[in-house]
Amino acid sequence: GESVGLHLPTLSVQEGDNSIINCAYSNSASDYFIWYKQESGKGPQFIIDIRSNMDKRQGQRVTVLLNKTVKHLSLQIAATQPGDSAVYFCAENPIDDKIIFGKGTRLHILP
Amino acid sequence: NAGVMQNPRHLVRRRGQEARLRCSPMKGHSHVYWYRQLPEEGLKFMVYLQKENIIDESGMPKERFSAEFPKEGPSILRIQQVVRGDSAAYFCASSPGKEVSGANVLTFGAGSRLTVL
């Protein structure tokens, strides 16, 4: 469904460790999913996407996993760096060209 | 290609005034989306438009808010008689649409931050 007005959960990760950010989506008809990164004061930026006919896709240092059975997405960031500090949003494409965003998770990197 | 351009970046209005936020999509993109974001919250879908048409406005408040995307010129999000609760960041995004690119990846602008005094 729509992104609801709740404060963002925070994930704190040691620099160099792997980060896993989770997202539950709402519409079983969604066939396309995207992860966005939003740094402070900026607009969201595309990171990686995945279609519903796949369960895993890898990019540079990032991997997206899709579990359609439980309507769950995850974003894995390898060897987390200070520049990865941001809010991460998953988004789904339930119909036509409409894109709905999840609640978001703030990733905080510990030195 | 300058990307998605939004202006103004910051806008201050008093209660009861009107706010107009503009968005120029990326070259070649025919779809425009508006999202609203409160501090420390997610992106709430408001409306999406193609040239001269509103496709889905299910996230728009019924009163005071309107959006357009004319044949020529930028998309405009208009908020009449602003109230303090309208203070937020308003993000515009554009895309070429699924029928063109096969996947609807949105490119976002830097946002317009509205403050209502």
PDB file of all heavy atoms in Angstrom, chain A residues 2-3 5 8 32 36 38 41 43-44 51 89 93 96-99 101 106, chain B residues 31 33 35 37 40-41 43 48 56 58 91 98 102 104-106 108-109 113:
ATOM      1  N   GLU A   2       0.275   2.328   0.361  1.00  0.00           N
ATOM      2  CA  GLU A   2       0.964   3.606   0.363  1.00  0.00           C
ATOM      3  C   GLU A   2       1.941   3.678   1.521  1.00  0.00           C
ATOM      4  O   GLU A   2       1.773   3.026   2.537  1.00  0.00           O
ATOM      5  CB  GLU A   2      -0.048   4.733   0.517  1.00  0.00           C
ATOM      6  CG  GLU A   2      -1.006   4.830  -0.641  1.00  0.00           C
ATOM      7  CD  GLU A   2      -0.306   5.311  -1.893  1.00  0.00           C
ATOM      8  OE1 GLU A   2       0.799   5.863  -1.792  1.00  0.00           O
ATOM      9  OE2 GLU A   2      -0.869   5.119  -2.978  1.00  0.00           O
ATOM     10  N   SER A   3       2.979   4.472   1.346  1.00  0.00           N
ATOM     11  CA  SER A   3       3.936   4.707   2.421  1.00  0.00           C
ATOM     12  C   SER A   3       3.208   5.428   3.552  1.00  0.00           C
ATOM     13  O   SER A   3       2.551   6.416   3.336  1.00  0.00           O
ATOM     14  CB  SER A   3       5.081   5.555   1.886  1.00  0.00           C
ATOM     15  OG  SER A   3       5.977   5.865   2.911  1.00  0.00           O
ATOM     16  N   GLY A   5       2.768   7.229   7.460  1.00  0.00           N
ATOM     17  CA  GLY A   5       3.504   8.253   8.189  1.00  0.00           C
ATOM     18  C   GLY A   5       4.118   7.756   9.472  1.00  0.00           C
ATOM     19  O   GLY A   5       3.724   8.185  10.545  1.00  0.00           O
ATOM     20  N   LEU A   8      11.194   6.574  10.505  1.00  0.00           N
ATOM     21  CA  LEU A   8      12.009   5.592   9.832  1.00  0.00           C
ATOM     22  C   LEU A   8      12.740   4.697  10.822  1.00  0.00           C
ATOM     23  O   LEU A   8      13.380   5.181  11.746  1.00  0.00           O
ATOM     24  CB  LEU A   8      13.030   6.305   8.953  1.00  0.00           C
ATOM     25  CG  LEU A   8      12.470   7.180   7.828  1.00  0.00           C
ATOM     26  CD1 LEU A   8      13.570   7.971   7.191  1.00  0.00           C
ATOM     27  CD2 LEU A   8      11.745   6.332   6.819  1.00  0.00           C
ATOM     28  N   TYR A  32       7.446  -5.661 -10.714  1.00  0.00           N
ATOM     29  CA  TYR A  32       8.725  -4.973 -10.872  1.00  0.00           C
ATOM     30  C   TYR A  32       9.010  -4.227  -9.584  1.00  0.00           C
ATOM     31  O   TYR A  32       8.110  -3.604  -9.002  1.00  0.00           O
ATOM     32  CB  TYR A  32       8.622  -4.017 -12.068  1.00  0.00           C
ATOM     33  CG  TYR A  32       9.844  -3.190 -12.328  1.00  0.00           C
ATOM     34  CD1 TYR A  32      11.053  -3.771 -12.690  1.00  0.00           C
ATOM     35  CD2 TYR A  32       9.783  -1.807 -12.237  1.00  0.00           C
ATOM     36  CE1 TYR A  32      12.167  -2.995 -12.931  1.00  0.00           C
ATOM     37  CE2 TYR A  32      10.893  -1.028 -12.482  1.00  0.00           C
ATOM     38  CZ  TYR A  32      12.081  -1.623 -12.827  1.00  0.00           C
ATOM     39  OH  TYR A  32      13.186  -0.853 -13.072  1.00  0.00           O
ATOM     40  N   TYR A  36      15.815   2.370  -3.973  1.00  0.00           N
ATOM     41  CA  TYR A  36      16.328   3.720  -4.112  1.00  0.00           C
ATOM     42  C   TYR A  36      17.106   4.090  -2.848  1.00  0.00           C
ATOM     43  O   TYR A  36      16.794   3.637  -1.753  1.00  0.00           O
ATOM     44  CB  TYR A  36      15.187   4.729  -4.276  1.00  0.00           C
ATOM     45  CG  TYR A  36      14.559   4.747  -5.640  1.00  0.00           C
ATOM     46  CD1 TYR A  36      13.503   3.900  -5.949  1.00  0.00           C
ATOM     47  CD2 TYR A  36      15.011   5.618  -6.627  1.00  0.00           C
ATOM     48  CE1 TYR A  36      12.913   3.919  -7.203  1.00  0.00           C
ATOM     49  CE2 TYR A  36      14.424   5.651  -7.882  1.00  0.00           C
ATOM     50  CZ  TYR A  36      13.377   4.791  -8.163  1.00  0.00           C
ATOM     51  OH  TYR A  36      12.801   4.818  -9.412  1.00  0.00           O
ATOM     52  N   GLN A  38      18.371   7.510  -0.688  1.00  0.00           N
ATOM     53  CA  GLN A  38      18.168   8.946  -0.538  1.00  0.00           C
ATOM     54  C   GLN A  38      19.125   9.497   0.498  1.00  0.00           C
ATOM     55  O   GLN A  38      19.023   9.185   1.682  1.00  0.00           O
ATOM     56  CB  GLN A  38      16.721   9.272  -0.141  1.00  0.00           C
ATOM     57  CG  GLN A  38      16.441  10.771  -0.121  1.00  0.00           C
ATOM     58  CD  GLN A  38      15.009  11.110   0.238  1.00  0.00           C
ATOM     59  OE1 GLN A  38      14.330  10.349   0.916  1.00  0.00           O
ATOM     60  NE2 GLN A  38      14.529  12.261  -0.216  1.00  0.00           N
ATOM     61  N   GLY A  41      18.938  15.677   2.204  1.00  0.00           N
ATOM     62  CA  GLY A  41      18.746  16.876   1.406  1.00  0.00           C
ATOM     63  C   GLY A  41      18.670  16.648  -0.086  1.00  0.00           C
ATOM     64  O   GLY A  41      18.632  17.614  -0.863  1.00  0.00           O
ATOM     65  N   GLY A  43      17.178  14.116  -3.599  1.00  0.00           N
ATOM     66  CA  GLY A  43      16.127  13.236  -4.078  1.00  0.00           C
ATOM     67  C   GLY A  43      16.606  11.796  -4.118  1.00  0.00           C
ATOM     68  O   GLY A  43      17.809  11.526  -4.115  1.00  0.00           O
ATOM     69  N   PRO A  44      15.681  10.850  -4.139  1.00  0.00           N
ATOM     70  CA  PRO A  44      16.053   9.434  -4.213  1.00  0.00           C
ATOM     71  C   PRO A  44      16.801   9.119  -5.511  1.00  0.00           C
ATOM     72  O   PRO A  44      16.508   9.688  -6.559  1.00  0.00           O
ATOM     73  CB  PRO A  44      14.704   8.710  -4.174  1.00  0.00           C
ATOM     74  CG  PRO A  44      13.757   9.684  -3.561  1.00  0.00           C
ATOM     75  CD  PRO A  44      14.220  11.034  -4.016  1.00  0.00           C
ATOM     76  N   ARG A  51      12.854  -7.868 -11.637  1.00  0.00           N
ATOM     77  CA  ARG A  51      11.536  -8.233 -12.108  1.00  0.00           C
ATOM     78  C   ARG A  51      11.033  -9.442 -11.327  1.00  0.00           C
ATOM     79  O   ARG A  51      11.812 -10.196 -10.766  1.00  0.00           O
ATOM     80  CB  ARG A  51      11.583  -8.559 -13.604  1.00  0.00           C
ATOM     81  CG  ARG A  51      11.889  -7.361 -14.481  1.00  0.00           C
ATOM     82  CD  ARG A  51      11.813  -7.735 -15.956  1.00  0.00           C
ATOM     83  NE  ARG A  51      12.188  -6.633 -16.810  1.00  0.00           N
ATOM     84  CZ  ARG A  51      11.365  -5.663 -17.181  1.00  0.00           C
ATOM     85  NH1 ARG A  51      10.120  -5.649 -16.752  1.00  0.00           N
ATOM     86  NH2 ARG A  51      11.777  -4.701 -17.969  1.00  0.00           N
ATOM     87  N   PHE A  89      14.849   3.039   0.263  1.00  0.00           N
ATOM     88  CA  PHE A  89      13.440   2.748   0.020  1.00  0.00           C
ATOM     89  C   PHE A  89      13.308   1.640  -1.018  1.00  0.00           C
ATOM     90  O   PHE A  89      13.987   1.671  -2.048  1.00  0.00           O
ATOM     91  CB  PHE A  89      12.715   3.971  -0.544  1.00  0.00           C
ATOM     92  CG  PHE A  89      12.598   5.126   0.401  1.00  0.00           C
ATOM     93  CD1 PHE A  89      13.493   6.184   0.347  1.00  0.00           C
ATOM     94  CD2 PHE A  89      11.583   5.165   1.340  1.00  0.00           C
ATOM     95  CE1 PHE A  89      13.383   7.263   1.215  1.00  0.00           C
ATOM     96  CE2 PHE A  89      11.461   6.239   2.213  1.00  0.00           C
ATOM     97  CZ  PHE A  89      12.361   7.279   2.147  1.00  0.00           C
ATOM     98  N   ASN A  93       5.845  -1.745  -8.424  1.00  0.00           N
ATOM     99  CA  ASN A  93       5.062  -1.286  -9.564  1.00  0.00           C
ATOM    100  C   ASN A  93       3.843  -2.202  -9.658  1.00  0.00           C
ATOM    101  O   ASN A  93       3.897  -3.247 -10.298  1.00  0.00           O
ATOM    102  CB  ASN A  93       5.936  -1.375 -10.811  1.00  0.00           C
ATOM    103  CG  ASN A  93       5.240  -0.914 -12.083  1.00  0.00           C
ATOM    104  OD1 ASN A  93       5.740  -1.113 -13.177  1.00  0.00           O
ATOM    105  ND2 ASN A  93       4.081  -0.275 -11.974  1.00  0.00           N
ATOM    106  N   ASP A  96       0.204  -0.745 -14.289  1.00  0.00           N
ATOM    107  CA  ASP A  96       0.559   0.278 -15.280  1.00  0.00           C
ATOM    108  C   ASP A  96       1.892   0.920 -14.935  1.00  0.00           C
ATOM    109  O   ASP A  96       2.895   0.251 -14.826  1.00  0.00           O
ATOM    110  CB  ASP A  96      -0.577   1.314 -15.373  1.00  0.00           C
ATOM    111  CG  ASP A  96      -1.874   0.664 -15.805  1.00  0.00           C
ATOM    112  OD1 ASP A  96      -1.821  -0.297 -16.603  1.00  0.00           O
ATOM    113  OD2 ASP A  96      -2.937   1.085 -15.343  1.00  0.00           O
ATOM    114  N   ASP A  97       1.888   2.228 -14.769  1.00  0.00           N
ATOM    115  CA  ASP A  97       3.141   2.936 -14.486  1.00  0.00           C
ATOM    116  C   ASP A  97       3.192   3.503 -13.072  1.00  0.00           C
ATOM    117  O   ASP A  97       4.041   4.322 -12.767  1.00  0.00           O
ATOM    118  CB  ASP A  97       3.328   4.064 -15.503  1.00  0.00           C
ATOM    119  CG  ASP A  97       3.668   3.523 -16.886  1.00  0.00           C
ATOM    120  OD1 ASP A  97       4.678   2.807 -16.988  1.00  0.00           O
ATOM    121  OD2 ASP A  97       2.920   3.803 -17.832  1.00  0.00           O
ATOM    122  N   LYS A  98       2.306   3.067 -12.220  1.00  0.00           N
ATOM    123  CA  LYS A  98       2.286   3.598 -10.860  1.00  0.00           C
ATOM    124  C   LYS A  98       3.400   2.970 -10.039  1.00  0.00           C
ATOM    125  O   LYS A  98       3.621   1.755 -10.107  1.00  0.00           O
ATOM    126  CB  LYS A  98       0.927   3.314 -10.216  1.00  0.00           C
ATOM    127  CG  LYS A  98       0.730   3.958  -8.871  1.00  0.00           C
ATOM    128  CD  LYS A  98      -0.711   3.798  -8.413  1.00  0.00           C
ATOM    129  CE  LYS A  98      -0.938   4.484  -7.089  1.00  0.00           C
ATOM    130  NZ  LYS A  98      -2.353   4.405  -6.674  1.00  0.00           N
ATOM    131  N   ILE A  99       4.114   3.775  -9.256  1.00  0.00           N
ATOM    132  CA  ILE A  99       5.195   3.299  -8.395  1.00  0.00           C
ATOM    133  C   ILE A  99       4.859   3.684  -6.963  1.00  0.00           C
ATOM    134  O   ILE A  99       4.640   4.865  -6.666  1.00  0.00           O
ATOM    135  CB  ILE A  99       6.553   3.917  -8.797  1.00  0.00           C
ATOM    136  CG1 ILE A  99       6.901   3.577 -10.248  1.00  0.00           C
ATOM    137  CG2 ILE A  99       7.656   3.444  -7.855  1.00  0.00           C
ATOM    138  CD1 ILE A  99       7.256   2.144 -10.497  1.00  0.00           C
ATOM    139  N   PHE A 101       6.096   3.514  -2.928  1.00  0.00           N
ATOM    140  CA  PHE A 101       7.288   3.356  -2.101  1.00  0.00           C
ATOM    141  C   PHE A 101       6.953   2.717  -0.762  1.00  0.00           C
ATOM    142  O   PHE A 101       5.897   2.968  -0.180  1.00  0.00           O
ATOM    143  CB  PHE A 101       7.950   4.713  -1.869  1.00  0.00           C
ATOM    144  CG  PHE A 101       8.768   5.167  -3.033  1.00  0.00           C
ATOM    145  CD1 PHE A 101       8.154   5.677  -4.170  1.00  0.00           C
ATOM    146  CD2 PHE A 101      10.143   5.061  -3.014  1.00  0.00           C
ATOM    147  CE1 PHE A 101       8.897   6.073  -5.261  1.00  0.00           C
ATOM    148  CE2 PHE A 101      10.899   5.464  -4.099  1.00  0.00           C
ATOM    149  CZ  PHE A 101      10.275   5.967  -5.234  1.00  0.00           C
ATOM    150  N   ARG A 106      16.717   3.832   7.541  1.00  0.00           N
ATOM    151  CA  ARG A 106      17.921   4.656   7.597  1.00  0.00           C
ATOM    152  C   ARG A 106      19.099   3.751   7.911  1.00  0.00           C
ATOM    153  O   ARG A 106      19.067   2.980   8.889  1.00  0.00           O
ATOM    154  CB  ARG A 106      17.786   5.734   8.672  1.00  0.00           C
ATOM    155  CG  ARG A 106      19.029   6.636   8.765  1.00  0.00           C
ATOM    156  CD  ARG A 106      18.825   7.735   9.798  1.00  0.00           C
ATOM    157  NE  ARG A 106      17.754   8.637   9.438  1.00  0.00           N
ATOM    158  CZ  ARG A 106      17.823   9.568   8.492  1.00  0.00           C
ATOM    159  NH1 ARG A 106      18.943   9.728   7.804  1.00  0.00           N
ATOM    160  NH2 ARG A 106      16.797  10.348   8.246  1.00  0.00           N
TER     161      ARG A 106
ATOM    162  N   HIS B  31       6.249  10.908 -18.626  1.00  0.00           N
ATOM    163  CA  HIS B  31       5.506  10.664 -17.383  1.00  0.00           C
ATOM    164  C   HIS B  31       6.123  11.495 -16.266  1.00  0.00           C
ATOM    165  O   HIS B  31       7.342  11.517 -16.113  1.00  0.00           O
ATOM    166  CB  HIS B  31       5.605   9.188 -16.983  1.00  0.00           C
ATOM    167  CG  HIS B  31       4.925   8.232 -17.904  1.00  0.00           C
ATOM    168  ND1 HIS B  31       5.227   8.145 -19.239  1.00  0.00           N
ATOM    169  CD2 HIS B  31       3.957   7.319 -17.676  1.00  0.00           C
ATOM    170  CE1 HIS B  31       4.477   7.205 -19.793  1.00  0.00           C
ATOM    171  NE2 HIS B  31       3.704   6.690 -18.873  1.00  0.00           N
ATOM    172  N   TYR B  33       5.691  12.348 -12.023  1.00  0.00           N
ATOM    173  CA  TYR B  33       5.132  11.907 -10.743  1.00  0.00           C
ATOM    174  C   TYR B  33       5.443  12.951  -9.681  1.00  0.00           C
ATOM    175  O   TYR B  33       6.520  13.529  -9.670  1.00  0.00           O
ATOM    176  CB  TYR B  33       5.773  10.592 -10.291  1.00  0.00           C
ATOM    177  CG  TYR B  33       5.581   9.435 -11.234  1.00  0.00           C
ATOM    178  CD1 TYR B  33       6.281   9.367 -12.430  1.00  0.00           C
ATOM    179  CD2 TYR B  33       4.694   8.410 -10.921  1.00  0.00           C
ATOM    180  CE1 TYR B  33       6.112   8.309 -13.304  1.00  0.00           C
ATOM    181  CE2 TYR B  33       4.522   7.336 -11.788  1.00  0.00           C
ATOM    182  CZ  TYR B  33       5.226   7.294 -12.979  1.00  0.00           C
ATOM    183  OH  TYR B  33       5.049   6.237 -13.835  1.00  0.00           O
ATOM    184  N   TYR B  35       5.573  13.330  -5.436  1.00  0.00           N
ATOM    185  CA  TYR B  35       5.549  12.674  -4.131  1.00  0.00           C
ATOM    186  C   TYR B  35       5.776  13.727  -3.060  1.00  0.00           C
ATOM    187  O   TYR B  35       6.460  14.716  -3.267  1.00  0.00           O
ATOM    188  CB  TYR B  35       6.669  11.628  -4.017  1.00  0.00           C
ATOM    189  CG  TYR B  35       6.486  10.408  -4.881  1.00  0.00           C
ATOM    190  CD1 TYR B  35       6.880  10.420  -6.214  1.00  0.00           C
ATOM    191  CD2 TYR B  35       5.927   9.244  -4.361  1.00  0.00           C
ATOM    192  CE1 TYR B  35       6.701   9.303  -7.016  1.00  0.00           C
ATOM    193  CE2 TYR B  35       5.761   8.119  -5.152  1.00  0.00           C
ATOM    194  CZ  TYR B  35       6.154   8.151  -6.479  1.00  0.00           C
ATOM    195  OH  TYR B  35       5.991   7.039  -7.260  1.00  0.00           O
ATOM    196  N   GLN B  37       7.053  14.304   1.008  1.00  0.00           N
ATOM    197  CA  GLN B  37       7.831  13.665   2.073  1.00  0.00           C
ATOM    198  C   GLN B  37       7.909  14.589   3.277  1.00  0.00           C
ATOM    199  O   GLN B  37       8.397  15.717   3.179  1.00  0.00           O
ATOM    200  CB  GLN B  37       9.239  13.312   1.584  1.00  0.00           C
ATOM    201  CG  GLN B  37      10.048  12.503   2.584  1.00  0.00           C
ATOM    202  CD  GLN B  37      11.400  12.093   2.030  1.00  0.00           C
ATOM    203  OE1 GLN B  37      12.077  12.865   1.362  1.00  0.00           O
ATOM    204  NE2 GLN B  37      11.804  10.854   2.309  1.00  0.00           N
ATOM    205  N   GLU B  40      11.839  12.717   8.180  1.00  0.00           N
ATOM    206  CA  GLU B  40      11.974  11.384   8.771  1.00  0.00           C
ATOM    207  C   GLU B  40      10.847  10.430   8.389  1.00  0.00           C
ATOM    208  O   GLU B  40      10.586   9.452   9.093  1.00  0.00           O
ATOM    209  CB  GLU B  40      12.070  11.477  10.304  1.00  0.00           C
ATOM    210  CG  GLU B  40      13.351  12.161  10.786  1.00  0.00           C
ATOM    211  CD  GLU B  40      14.600  11.426  10.337  1.00  0.00           C
ATOM    212  OE1 GLU B  40      14.743  10.236  10.670  1.00  0.00           O
ATOM    213  OE2 GLU B  40      15.431  12.036   9.634  1.00  0.00           O
ATOM    214  N   GLU B  41      10.198  10.684   7.272  1.00  0.00           N
ATOM    215  CA  GLU B  41       9.149   9.784   6.807  1.00  0.00           C
ATOM    216  C   GLU B  41       9.401   9.369   5.365  1.00  0.00           C
ATOM    217  O   GLU B  41      10.345   9.803   4.721  1.00  0.00           O
ATOM    218  CB  GLU B  41       7.780  10.449   6.960  1.00  0.00           C
ATOM    219  CG  GLU B  41       7.390  10.670   8.418  1.00  0.00           C
ATOM    220  CD  GLU B  41       5.948  11.086   8.586  1.00  0.00           C
ATOM    221  OE1 GLU B  41       5.199  11.101   7.591  1.00  0.00           O
ATOM    222  OE2 GLU B  41       5.577  11.399   9.725  1.00  0.00           O
ATOM    223  N   LEU B  43       8.110   8.392   1.253  1.00  0.00           N
ATOM    224  CA  LEU B  43       7.596   9.145   0.102  1.00  0.00           C
ATOM    225  C   LEU B  43       6.146   8.753  -0.136  1.00  0.00           C
ATOM    226  O   LEU B  43       5.857   7.584  -0.401  1.00  0.00           O
ATOM    227  CB  LEU B  43       8.420   8.823  -1.137  1.00  0.00           C
ATOM    228  CG  LEU B  43       9.840   9.360  -1.109  1.00  0.00           C
ATOM    229  CD1 LEU B  43      10.766   8.470  -1.897  1.00  0.00           C
ATOM    230  CD2 LEU B  43       9.862  10.773  -1.689  1.00  0.00           C
ATOM    231  N   TYR B  48       0.226  11.036 -10.730  1.00  0.00           N
ATOM    232  CA  TYR B  48       1.090  10.905 -11.871  1.00  0.00           C
ATOM    233  C   TYR B  48       0.359  11.309 -13.141  1.00  0.00           C
ATOM    234  O   TYR B  48      -0.848  11.092 -13.285  1.00  0.00           O
ATOM    235  CB  TYR B  48       1.813   9.565 -11.906  1.00  0.00           C
ATOM    236  CG  TYR B  48       1.368   8.487 -12.848  1.00  0.00           C
ATOM    237  CD1 TYR B  48       1.736   8.508 -14.187  1.00  0.00           C
ATOM    238  CD2 TYR B  48       0.671   7.402 -12.357  1.00  0.00           C
ATOM    239  CE1 TYR B  48       1.379   7.471 -15.023  1.00  0.00           C
ATOM    240  CE2 TYR B  48       0.314   6.359 -13.188  1.00  0.00           C
ATOM    241  CZ  TYR B  48       0.666   6.393 -14.524  1.00  0.00           C
ATOM    242  OH  TYR B  48       0.308   5.353 -15.350  1.00  0.00           O
ATOM    243  N   ASP B  56      -3.361   9.201 -12.602  1.00  0.00           N
ATOM    244  CA  ASP B  56      -3.739   8.680 -11.280  1.00  0.00           C
ATOM    245  C   ASP B  56      -3.503   9.786 -10.263  1.00  0.00           C
ATOM    246  O   ASP B  56      -2.374  10.219 -10.101  1.00  0.00           O
ATOM    247  CB  ASP B  56      -2.893   7.443 -10.966  1.00  0.00           C
ATOM    248  CG  ASP B  56      -3.302   6.747  -9.677  1.00  0.00           C
ATOM    249  OD1 ASP B  56      -3.768   7.421  -8.719  1.00  0.00           O
ATOM    250  OD2 ASP B  56      -3.132   5.519  -9.599  1.00  0.00           O
ATOM    251  N   SER B  58      -4.830   9.491  -7.060  1.00  0.00           N
ATOM    252  CA  SER B  58      -5.413   8.893  -5.863  1.00  0.00           C
ATOM    253  C   SER B  58      -4.746   9.358  -4.569  1.00  0.00           C
ATOM    254  O   SER B  58      -5.324   9.232  -3.501  1.00  0.00           O
ATOM    255  CB  SER B  58      -5.342   7.360  -5.948  1.00  0.00           C
ATOM    256  OG  SER B  58      -4.007   6.939  -6.150  1.00  0.00           O
ATOM    257  N   PHE B  91       8.704  16.060  -4.035  1.00  0.00           N
ATOM    258  CA  PHE B  91       9.621  15.540  -5.046  1.00  0.00           C
ATOM    259  C   PHE B  91       8.865  15.227  -6.325  1.00  0.00           C
ATOM    260  O   PHE B  91       7.774  14.653  -6.312  1.00  0.00           O
ATOM    261  CB  PHE B  91      10.321  14.273  -4.546  1.00  0.00           C
ATOM    262  CG  PHE B  91      11.352  14.544  -3.496  1.00  0.00           C
ATOM    263  CD1 PHE B  91      11.044  14.426  -2.157  1.00  0.00           C
ATOM    264  CD2 PHE B  91      12.639  14.912  -3.872  1.00  0.00           C
ATOM    265  CE1 PHE B  91      12.000  14.688  -1.172  1.00  0.00           C
ATOM    266  CE2 PHE B  91      13.597  15.174  -2.907  1.00  0.00           C
ATOM    267  CZ  PHE B  91      13.277  15.060  -1.564  1.00  0.00           C
ATOM    268  N   LYS B  98       6.656   2.504 -19.115  1.00  0.00           N
ATOM    269  CA  LYS B  98       6.926   1.088 -19.375  1.00  0.00           C
ATOM    270  C   LYS B  98       6.907   0.758 -20.860  1.00  0.00           C
ATOM    271  O   LYS B  98       7.676  -0.074 -21.339  1.00  0.00           O
ATOM    272  CB  LYS B  98       5.840   0.251 -18.702  1.00  0.00           C
ATOM    273  CG  LYS B  98       6.231  -0.447 -17.454  1.00  0.00           C
ATOM    274  CD  LYS B  98       5.026  -1.271 -16.979  1.00  0.00           C
ATOM    275  CE  LYS B  98       5.355  -2.015 -15.726  1.00  0.00           C
ATOM    276  NZ  LYS B  98       4.190  -2.717 -15.183  1.00  0.00           N
ATOM    277  N   GLY B 102      10.274  -0.561 -21.044  1.00  0.00           N
ATOM    278  CA  GLY B 102      10.070  -1.920 -20.542  1.00  0.00           C
ATOM    279  C   GLY B 102      10.058  -2.026 -19.036  1.00  0.00           C
ATOM    280  O   GLY B 102       9.597  -3.000 -18.479  1.00  0.00           O
ATOM    281  N   ASN B 104       9.669   0.694 -15.464  1.00  0.00           N
ATOM    282  CA  ASN B 104       9.371   2.075 -15.115  1.00  0.00           C
ATOM    283  C   ASN B 104      10.304   2.603 -14.039  1.00  0.00           C
ATOM    284  O   ASN B 104       9.951   2.683 -12.873  1.00  0.00           O
ATOM    285  CB  ASN B 104       7.910   2.189 -14.665  1.00  0.00           C
ATOM    286  CG  ASN B 104       7.404   3.605 -14.796  1.00  0.00           C
ATOM    287  OD1 ASN B 104       7.933   4.394 -15.573  1.00  0.00           O
ATOM    288  ND2 ASN B 104       6.391   3.941 -14.032  1.00  0.00           N
ATOM    289  N   VAL B 105      11.531   2.964 -14.438  1.00  0.00           N
ATOM    290  CA  VAL B 105      12.495   3.509 -13.494  1.00  0.00           C
ATOM    291  C   VAL B 105      12.298   5.017 -13.409  1.00  0.00           C
ATOM    292  O   VAL B 105      12.355   5.714 -14.414  1.00  0.00           O
ATOM    293  CB  VAL B 105      13.938   3.202 -13.925  1.00  0.00           C
ATOM    294  CG1 VAL B 105      14.923   3.830 -12.952  1.00  0.00           C
ATOM    295  CG2 VAL B 105      14.151   1.701 -14.018  1.00  0.00           C
ATOM    296  N   LEU B 106      12.056   5.507 -12.218  1.00  0.00           N
ATOM    297  CA  LEU B 106      11.853   6.937 -12.017  1.00  0.00           C
ATOM    298  C   LEU B 106      13.183   7.636 -11.757  1.00  0.00           C
ATOM    299  O   LEU B 106      14.016   7.125 -11.012  1.00  0.00           O
ATOM    300  CB  LEU B 106      10.934   7.182 -10.814  1.00  0.00           C
ATOM    301  CG  LEU B 106       9.558   6.515 -10.825  1.00  0.00           C
ATOM    302  CD1 LEU B 106       8.733   6.990  -9.630  1.00  0.00           C
ATOM    303  CD2 LEU B 106       8.833   6.804 -12.117  1.00  0.00           C
ATOM    304  N   PHE B 108      14.481  11.116 -10.106  1.00  0.00           N
ATOM    305  CA  PHE B 108      13.956  12.146  -9.230  1.00  0.00           C
ATOM    306  C   PHE B 108      14.707  13.463  -9.373  1.00  0.00           C
ATOM    307  O   PHE B 108      15.911  13.498  -9.649  1.00  0.00           O
ATOM    308  CB  PHE B 108      14.042  11.699  -7.769  1.00  0.00           C
ATOM    309  CG  PHE B 108      12.941  10.774  -7.363  1.00  0.00           C
ATOM    310  CD1 PHE B 108      13.035   9.420  -7.624  1.00  0.00           C
ATOM    311  CD2 PHE B 108      11.809  11.256  -6.725  1.00  0.00           C
ATOM    312  CE1 PHE B 108      12.008   8.553  -7.266  1.00  0.00           C
ATOM    313  CE2 PHE B 108      10.779  10.400  -6.359  1.00  0.00           C
ATOM    314  CZ  PHE B 108      10.880   9.055  -6.628  1.00  0.00           C
ATOM    315  N   GLY B 109      13.965  14.532  -9.108  1.00  0.00           N
ATOM    316  CA  GLY B 109      14.581  15.828  -8.933  1.00  0.00           C
ATOM    317  C   GLY B 109      15.080  15.992  -7.507  1.00  0.00           C
ATOM    318  O   GLY B 109      14.911  15.092  -6.670  1.00  0.00           O
ATOM    319  N   ARG B 113      11.312  22.341  -1.135  1.00  0.00           N
ATOM    320  CA  ARG B 113      10.953  22.329   0.283  1.00  0.00           C
ATOM    321  C   ARG B 113      10.070  23.516   0.599  1.00  0.00           C
ATOM    322  O   ARG B 113      10.508  24.658   0.514  1.00  0.00           O
ATOM    323  CB  ARG B 113      12.220  22.316   1.132  1.00  0.00           C
ATOM    324  CG  ARG B 113      12.800  20.918   1.202  1.00  0.00           C
ATOM    325  CD  ARG B 113      14.295  20.861   1.378  1.00  0.00           C
ATOM    326  NE  ARG B 113      14.766  19.480   1.313  1.00  0.00           N
ATOM    327  CZ  ARG B 113      15.039  18.826   0.184  1.00  0.00           C
ATOM    328  NH1 ARG B 113      14.922  19.427  -0.977  1.00  0.00           N
ATOM    329  NH2 ARG B 113      15.447  17.573   0.219  1.00  0.00           N
TER     330      ARG B 113
END
